[in-house]
Amino acid sequence: AARVSPADLSSSSRHAPHSLTTTSLLLNHHYSASIPTPAAIPAAARAAIAARGLDSTFFVYDLGALHRLFTAWTAAFGPALVPHFAVKANPDPGLLRVLAVLGAGFDCASRAEICLVQGLGVPAHRIIYAHPCKPPAELRFACARGVAHTTFDNAGEVAKLARWHPGARALLRIRADDPTARFCLGSKYGCEVGDAPGLLATAKAAGVAVVGVAFHVGSGARDPAAYGRAIAAAAVVFEAGAAAGHEMGI
């Protein structure tokens, strides 16, 4: 099969959904090869190791599967719901480049991740700085890079946003744990739903624009119903934001 690279893709709606159908071997950020069938992956991996002297672990990505899954997502949810890939989950530039060309947004938790994604040509409006507690230097950096969307969960962050990133479009992160998740993050991040009205009022008084709600049910979540509970909680906070005078939309 002919090699398929991210350059062969187009974000245009006219692009055929089957245009990335071969299995692509992507190793250690810098090596890629086209593979005729998934069954040929072991042989291709051995050949790559022999040719390049790879002596550490590596991942094999099926970029065709990535494209098909992205297409399935957009078909199911429509253009109004744009998936944002969490860069910390897998920062491989080859993988990120495919997602960028497909039109994905990116969830970045650090300056380094923002630099990585913007280095691939992703515009600032497709990035959210999804860390609710950021040093002033990082907020100044995000402001300078034009990354407006970010998260917060406390009054201290509101004060920092007002001073260091006055043009921010903030999302209030709420606690929405799946108790069965492998790693529950609610003990670190996310305000209680009952505390949201006060934080929304604080943001309004400080001139910080709150445009939506964010949540994280936990890494390795096992209960699909956790998302339903989180969305219901987000709806409550959404209404409280609107009542406080914020233009909620995310």
Side-chain angles (χ1 to χ4, degrees):
R3 176 178 175 179
V4 180
S5 70
D8 296 320
L9 296 175
S10 168
S11 58
S12 168
S13 61
R14 295 173 296 161
H15 191 70
H18 60 273
S19 58
L20 186 59
T21 55
T22 60
T23 298
S24 297
L25 179 68
L26 186 64
L27 304 179
N28 283 9
H29 302 5
H30 304 298
Y31 179 87
S32 63
S34 180
I35 305 169
T37 65
I41 290 175
R46 286 193 292 271
I49 292 170
R52 301 177 64 85
L54 300 176
D55 57 1
S56 185
T57 56
F58 58 85
F59 291 99
V60 176
Y61 307 114
D62 185 342
L63 299 182
L66 177 64
H67 186 221
R68 290 189 293 274
L69 289 168
F70 190 93
T71 301
W73 171 285
T74 55
F77 292 108
L81 193 60
V82 179
H84 282 58
F85 180 75
V87 177
K88 60 179 172 291
N90 191 331
D92 187 284
L95 189 75
L96 299 179
R97 188 173 292 109
V98 173
L99 288 168
V101 175
L102 288 171
F106 293 89
D107 171 318
C108 296
S110 68
R111 175 195 295 241
E113 291 179 3
I114 292 173
C115 288
L116 174 60
V117 170
Q118 289 194 322
L120 298 175
V122 176
H125 72 268
R126 282 166 53 188
I127 299 171
I128 179 170
Y129 195 174
H131 196 305
C133 301
K134 299 167 288 294
E138 301 301 293
L139 286 172
R140 292 194 298 269
F141 170 80
C143 183
R145 287 297 188 102
V147 178
H149 288 103
T150 188
T151 59
F152 76 102
D153 65 3
N154 61 86
E157 193 73 4
V158 170
K160 288 187 289 181
L161 286 170
R163 180 174 181 181
W164 302 113
H165 197 346
R169 295 173 59 78
L171 284 75
L172 178 56
R173 178 163 169 172
I174 60 173
R175 183 172 186 174
D177 290 333
D178 172 4
T180 68
R182 183 172 298 174
F183 298 105
C184 290
L185 302 176
S187 60
K188 294 173 60 179
Y189 304 121
C191 76
E192 300 293 342
V193 172
D195 294 331
L199 287 171
L200 291 164
T202 297
K204 187 66 177 178
V208 174
V210 181
V211 297
V213 182
F215 61 81
H216 194 315
V217 300
S219 298
R222 297 180 176 88
D223 181 11
Y227 289 94
R229 295 191 296 269
I231 292 170
V236 172
V237 178
F238 220 82
E239 293 181 0
H246 295 288
E247 296 184 8
M248 308 291 281
I250 301 176

